[in-house]
Amino acid sequence: MPAVVMDGKALAAKVKEQVRSQVEPMSQKPGLAVILVGDNPASRVYVNGKKKDCGECGIYSEEYALPEETTQEELLELIGALNDRADVDGILVQLPLPKHLNEKEVLLAIRPDKDVDCFHPFNVGQLMIGEEGFQPCTPAGVMRMLEEYGIDPAGKHCVIVGRSNIVGKPQAMLMVKKNATVTICHTKTRDLKAECLRADILVAAAGRVGLITGDMIREGAVVVDVAMNRNDQGKLCGDVVYSQAVEKASYITPVPGGVGPMTRAMLMENTLYAARCHGKV
Ligand code: GUN
């Protein structure tokens, strides 16, 4: 039987509606500042989406579209000013940054209580030790989607393909918190197929078209495709060969319309959370 397709678009709309209804009665609205440096077209699309989401949720948003040749000092100065503003609860610097900028230093400059991406080492540490706080948007979106479809990771074997700081590593932390047994695979994994076949929940986050084929998926596994790639025809696709995987999996996320919209919805939740932490009611 083909898999149940997990509808990230519909669930994201529901999450955003929940955020909107909580923001509506607030006397001081949550605020999000989004910084984009340079003219990466994919980043521009993401930033536009975030602005639109803020509008839908009643969240105040500001965009800073800075030229490619922005210096480290200029960027740090802007972040410093936003750190000090009470109307800005969240600061997001769209990645990747142009090569001449020091990403690590930039992420460190964002005040942890405004770090709605959950990229600051303080927040990453909080996540690691299981403390309450921000959760990174994409992994949190995956967890929310599993919850919505009644999939409890407890006791299950979760195999994550990809070890990025944005997805793979924090995803592992959230899965462990939910009592899953976790394997993280990466480019040096000796037998990726054998590892994937052990998965009750397979999270593909490697960023390689066609990496996960049907023969790598155990019958009845839950398949979550986090990747956003372009194939040879320029079409948006994930890491999973969907047509094959849908015949093996019990649940599957599509690309587009799966994890992507959930990531954006979780950013809205994080911005609301930041505003609450700042005492806005
Ligand atoms: N670039 C790709 N994904 C993300 C994300 O989740 N946050 C930021 N800031 N940049 C990204």
Side-chain angles (χ1 to χ4, degrees), residues 62-238:
E62 272 181 10
E63 179 192 311
Y64 294 86
L66 307 180
E68 178 85 18
E69 52 288 355
T70 300
T71 66
Q72 183 79 4
E73 291 66 33
E74 285 166 338
L75 183 53
L76 292 178
E77 198 177 319
L78 172 60
I79 292 170
L82 294 169
N83 277 340
D84 291 339
R85 273 179 48 191
D87 58 337
V88 172
D89 297 292
I91 303 169
L92 183 146
V93 178
Q94 188 65 34
L95 302 179
L97 286 169
K99 291 234 170 350
H100 67 279
L101 296 172
N102 180 340
E103 182 180 301
K104 219 162 155 180
E105 192 182 41
V106 167
L107 297 180
L108 258 176
I110 296 171
R111 240 171 59 180
D113 58 293
K114 297 194 175 190
D115 172 35
V116 285
D117 261 329
C118 194
F119 290 169
H120 190 289
F122 174 82
N123 289 324
V124 176
Q126 291 287 90
L127 180 73
M128 180 93 183
I129 61 174
E131 285 292 316
E132 166 108 3
F134 288 119
Q135 293 195 342
C137 300
T138 298
V142 170
M143 301 313 285
R144 178 63 65 85
M145 193 136 67
L146 294 180
E147 196 184 317
E148 175 75 9
Y149 283 86
I151 300 158
D152 181 3
K156 300 210 169 73
H157 192 156
C158 174
V159 175
I160 300 166
V161 184
R163 56 176 155 180
S164 71
N165 290 334
I166 295 183
V167 182
K169 287 183 208 165
Q171 190 74 71
M173 289 305 119
L174 294 183
M175 286 289 181
V176 167
K177 199 172 178 190
K178 287 287 182 188
N179 301 312
T181 303
V182 176
T183 300
I184 301 183
C185 300
H186 44 77
T187 43
K188 298 282 190 296
T189 296
R190 202 185 307 136
D191 189 346
L192 183 62
K193 180 177 170 182
E195 297 297 341
C196 289
L197 278 169
R198 295 169 61 212
D200 299 307
I201 302 173
L202 180 63
V203 180
R208 279 177 55 196
V209 178
L211 181 67
I212 309 294
T213 46
D215 60 337
M216 298 166 81
I217 297 165
R218 189 154 100 187
E219 198 74 42
V222 173
V223 176
V224 178
D225 196 346
V226 172
M228 284 279 204
N229 310 307
R230 297 251 171 216
N231 68 11
D232 292 342
Q233 289 89 52
K235 217 176 127 216
L236 210 57
C237 64

